């Protein structure tokens, strides 16, 4: 499972399935996204045949676990909640600090990302993996104000060091 969907240059440029081990941005700094979930080559063949990702119901896994924290009240407020969440991941769940990556999303919040292997060393691909993934993220994030609508099979996430066209800021 090493294929992901990319949207390069704009969110509307979806349905670009590539091997994550070979993908390179090649200096692209405009909007760029990658699917949260990873798929087998069957996904690539499906998208080539159907010209879209809609309707795909095959096995998938993830290489990272993500939480999206946003705030309408300002970055300082959400920053404090993210700090508390990181401490909870570390102290309550034993996630080493060096596994926890925090990125400014480029607009109104932060993404907290840990390698999926920090939770499960060898995840089993499944057609319902996204449901297990969402349950894990919600359990670990219980009590914190993160956006749990991102846990959909076809969801993509902005890549680091690419711009958010709406805000003009970069995800860093």
């Amino acid at each position: 499972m090493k294929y992901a969907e990319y949207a390069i240059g704009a969110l509307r440029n979806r349905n670009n399935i590539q091997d994550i081990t070979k993908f390179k941005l090649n200096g692209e700094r405009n909007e760029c996204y990658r699917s949260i979930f990873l798929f087998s080559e069957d996904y690539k063949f499906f998208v080539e045949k159907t010209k879209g990702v809609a309707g795909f119901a095959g096995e998938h896994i993830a290489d990272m676990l993500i939480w999206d924290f946003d705030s309408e009240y300002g970055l300082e407020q959400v920053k404090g909640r993210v700090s508390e969440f990181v401490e909870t991941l570390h102290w309550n769940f034993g996630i080493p600090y060096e596994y926890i990556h925090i990125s400014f999303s480029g607009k109104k919040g932060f993404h907290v990302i840990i390698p999926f292997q920090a939770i499960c060393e060898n995840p089993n691909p499944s057609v319902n993996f996204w449901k297990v993934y969402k349950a894990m993220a919600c359990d670990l994030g219980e009590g914190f104000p993160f956006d749990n609508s991102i846990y959909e099979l076809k969801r993509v996430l902005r890549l680091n060091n690419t711009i958010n066209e709406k805000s003009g800021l970069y995800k860093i």
Side-chain angles (χ1 to χ4, degrees):
M1 303 269 163
K2 61 180 184 171
Y3 287 87
E5 177 186 13
Y6 291 89
I8 303 166
L11 193 52
R12 70 181 171 278
N13 298 333
R14 295 191 67 164
N15 305 322
N16 180 3
I17 311 303
Q18 295 192 34
D19 180 334
I20 64 166
T21 65
K22 297 177 183 171
F23 178 77
K24 296 200 180 345
L25 275 174
N26 293 328
E28 181 71 43
R29 302 223 0 139
N30 293 322
E31 288 197 304
C32 292
Y33 303 83
R34 191 197 100 173
S35 58
I36 293 173
F37 298 103
L38 302 175
F39 305 88
S40 71
E41 200 168 19
D42 292 345
Y43 190 58
K44 180 180 172 86
F45 297 142
F46 177 88
V47 173
E48 288 172 354
K49 182 179 178 182
T50 65
K51 307 296 184 224
V53 298
F56 183 80
E59 293 184 340
H60 53 281
I61 60 169
D63 59 348
M64 58 188 154
L65 194 52
I66 301 162
W67 294 268
D68 180 21
F69 289 83
D70 291 328
S71 177
E72 298 297 328
Y73 304 106
L75 287 176
E76 285 306 311
Q77 180 191 33
V78 73
K79 184 177 164 184
R81 295 304 307 218
V82 167
S83 294
E84 292 171 21
F85 179 62
V86 166
E87 291 302 315
T88 298
L89 287 176
H90 178 72
W91 293 107
N92 293 5
F93 299 106
I95 307 296
Y97 287 123
E98 59 267 19
Y99 284 16
I100 303 170
H101 302 277
I102 304 165
S103 298
F104 168 62
S105 68
K107 192 169 182 186
K108 59 182 180 178
F110 298 90
H111 295 153
V112 177
I113 302 171
I114 62 172
F116 198 81
Q117 289 71 20
I119 304 298
C120 177
E121 219 170 286
N122 292 310
N124 291 321
S126 163
V127 297
N128 290 317
F129 183 86
W130 70 273
K131 292 178 183 178
V132 174
Y133 182 98
K134 180 177 182 174
M136 291 173 77
C138 289
D139 284 349
L140 292 171
E142 186 176 354
F144 289 94
F146 64 95
D147 179 1
N148 68 8
S149 71
I150 69 167
Y151 306 116
E152 301 168 351
L153 184 59
K154 308 300 188 285
R155 185 62 71 136
V156 293
L157 184 73
R158 184 181 318 283
L159 295 173
N160 280 341
N161 301 314
T162 64
I163 199 166
N164 180 316
E165 293 291 338
K166 291 177 186 173
S167 69
L169 301 173
Y170 287 85
K171 178 179 177 182
I172 54 171

